[in-house]
Amino acid sequence: MNKIRSYIKGVGHNVPDRVVTNDELSKLMNTTDQWIVERTGIKERRFADEGVGPSDLAIPAVEDALQDANLIKNDIDLIIFATVSSDYYIPGSGCILQHKMDFGNIGAFDIKTSCAGFIYGISMADQYIKSGTFDNILLVCSEVQSTTMDFSDRGRNTAVIFGDGAGAIVLSSTTEDRGILSTHLHSDGKNVKELWLKEPSTKSSNRLSKESIERGDHFLSMNGREVFRHAVKRFPETINESLEFNGLTSEDIDLLVPHQANLRISDMIQKKMGLPDNKVFNNIQKYGNTTAASIPICLSEAKKKGRINNNDLVLCAAFGAGFLWGSTIIKW
């Protein structure tokens, strides 16, 4: 009897209509288009309308993924929702999405693994499917981060980087020679304060004081230099880990899809792996860093553009707050 494996049966994405250019941000803080592009590669990003949460942004992405998988809502056995910007502090966005889309009383839960949300989520879904627990799992990665940004000179280094967006994939069971070949997960919590949103928190009685607001503790903050230093080390490590585990080399990879953190990091990885431009997919120029959503948005766009085909080997890697990082190789 052939063993059960999980594979990506469908993929979809959705981004807000509102385009925010670098020039628009330069009117809010001391920055320029040239400054942002040189340091990040970002030309523009998308911001959600007021009142739109990650569960709302995810709905078209989920519909897109279900259509691509040729499945209906009743086929889905479980929802995993990866986000660091959930609709509310409590409850998670997974059950909110389940209710809004009328999925029925299936299980739904959130994971808060920042930019590595897709890698962690696909690893969990893979284990559920390989164990025979579920046949079809919906992994949703959706972020509305524009409401956590400090659009003043104080928050410039962070505010120019992040954007809003949603991606979704359907993982299904198969006995064919395809699917998730392996996943690899890592963390290092000693750097938690290099990229975090400090308050509100249970440590501060879940209240924002006048002093904490004046300090900007309720905005996402990042030590860009330190994050960059760790990312350029961890990305190659986990990519090589995936390749070695599966007995592959960079020449075997048909498409590298890195988390869209910084175009300079993606370019560095590409050069280290010796990959031509047609074997790497980046869209940070259009969307900025959409955290958990960045890889599934890339996968959806790449498939729609004909950059991913059956039997292609796709390598995905991510690094983010926590610090958390990881990788996966997928035989499409």
Side-chain angles (χ1 to χ4, degrees):
M1 182 178 178
N2 294 332
K3 65 179 181 180
I4 298 174
R5 306 177 71 169
S6 69
Y7 78 105
I8 296 180
K9 188 176 179 66
V11 60
H13 75 283
N14 176 50
V15 293
D17 292 332
R18 183 187 171 194
V19 177
V20 179
T21 65
N22 293 341
D23 289 334
E24 184 174 342
L25 292 183
S26 70
K27 298 174 182 177
L28 302 175
M29 62 192 82
N30 183 22
T31 190
T32 65
D33 175 69
Q34 181 180 359
W35 189 91
I36 298 171
V37 172
E38 287 179 353
R39 287 161 178 78
T40 68
I42 300 168
K43 293 289 294 182
E44 59 189 39
R45 71 286 295 147
R46 303 295 182 93
F47 284 179
D49 292 335
E50 185 175 352
V52 172
S55 64
D56 303 303
L57 204 58
I59 291 173
V62 171
E63 292 172 340
D64 192 16
L66 287 172
Q67 182 177 13
D68 188 45
N70 196 28
L71 295 177
I72 60 174
K73 289 180 291 185
N74 288 345
D75 294 318
I76 300 299
D77 304 310
L78 177 72
I79 298 170
I80 301 175
F81 200 115
T83 185
V84 292
S85 56
S86 56
D87 295 67
Y88 305 105
Y89 196 80
I90 298 173
S93 293
C95 61
I96 298 173
L97 177 75
Q98 172 267 330
H99 170 69
K100 287 180 177 178
M101 295 193 69
D102 193 25
F103 268 100
N105 298 134
I106 60 173
F109 63 87
D110 284 26
I111 57 172
K112 193 175 183 180
T113 46
S114 62
C115 298
F118 174 82
I119 303 295
Y120 272 71
I122 205 171
S123 179
M124 297 174 72
D126 181 47
Q127 301 306 314
Y128 275 124
I129 289 175
K130 287 195 298 188
S131 70
T133 305
F134 299 116
D135 291 321
N136 299 297
I137 296 177
L138 176 66
L139 172 59
V140 183
C141 303
S142 184
E143 305 282 7
V144 175
Q145 301 171 119
S146 53
T147 56
T148 69
M149 295 296 117
D150 180 357
F151 294 106
S152 70
D153 288 348
R154 178 181 59 186
R156 176 184 63 174
N157 292 347
T158 303
V160 300
I161 293 173
F162 292 91
D164 303 338
I169 65 169
V170 176
L171 280 93
S172 297
S173 61
T174 183
T175 55
E176 297 177 5
D177 180 25
R178 64 188 302 191
I180 313 304
L181 301 188
S182 66
T183 57
H184 308 269
L185 310 177
H186 300 278
S187 68
D188 185 352
K190 72 174 177 285
N191 300 290
V192 65
K193 295 183 181 180
E194 306 297 352
L195 177 51
W196 71 332
L197 198 157
K198 185 179 180 181
E199 294 185 9
S201 72
T202 54
K203 293 180 69 172
S204 61
S205 301
N206 203 29
R207 294 184 179 90
L208 284 170
S209 66
K210 179 181 178 181
E211 292 75 20
S212 67
I213 293 173
E214 290 175 348
R215 289 193 303 266
D217 291 344
H218 58 303
F219 292 125
L220 183 70
S221 66
M222 177 175 67
N223 182 344
R225 181 173 298 179
E226 195 66 12
V227 172
F228 188 92
R229 184 175 73 85
H230 283 269
V232 296
K233 176 184 178 183
R234 298 307 188 184
F235 263 110
E237 281 181 356
T238 192
I239 286 171
N240 289 331
E241 179 183 28
S242 281
L243 292 172
E244 291 172 7
F245 182 87
N246 291 285
L248 301 171
T249 69
S250 58
E251 294 180 355
D252 296 312
I253 298 303
D254 295 295
L255 193 66
L256 171 68
V257 181
H259 162 60
Q260 303 295 290
N262 187 306
L263 192 59
R264 291 164 58 199
I265 296 176
S266 296
D267 288 344
M268 177 275 296
I269 297 168
Q270 179 179 349
K271 289 176 183 177
K272 282 192 173 184
M273 294 182 67
L275 295 175
D277 290 345
N278 66 342
K279 285 196 171 188
V280 183
F281 193 90
N282 290 301
N283 61 13
I284 191 173
Q285 304 92 325
K286 299 186 298 180
Y287 303 133
N289 181 346
T290 55
T291 306
S294 80
I295 291 178
I297 290 174
C298 281
L299 291 175
S300 179
E301 283 203 330
K303 184 177 181 184
K304 287 174 169 59
K305 292 176 182 291
R307 297 281 298 276
I308 300 177
N309 300 290
N310 286 345
N311 295 314
D312 279 356
L313 288 178
V314 180
L315 196 162
C316 303
F319 175 90
F323 288 145
L324 301 166
W325 66 96
S327 58
T328 182
I329 295 182
I330 305 159
K331 185 175 182 182
W332 210 266

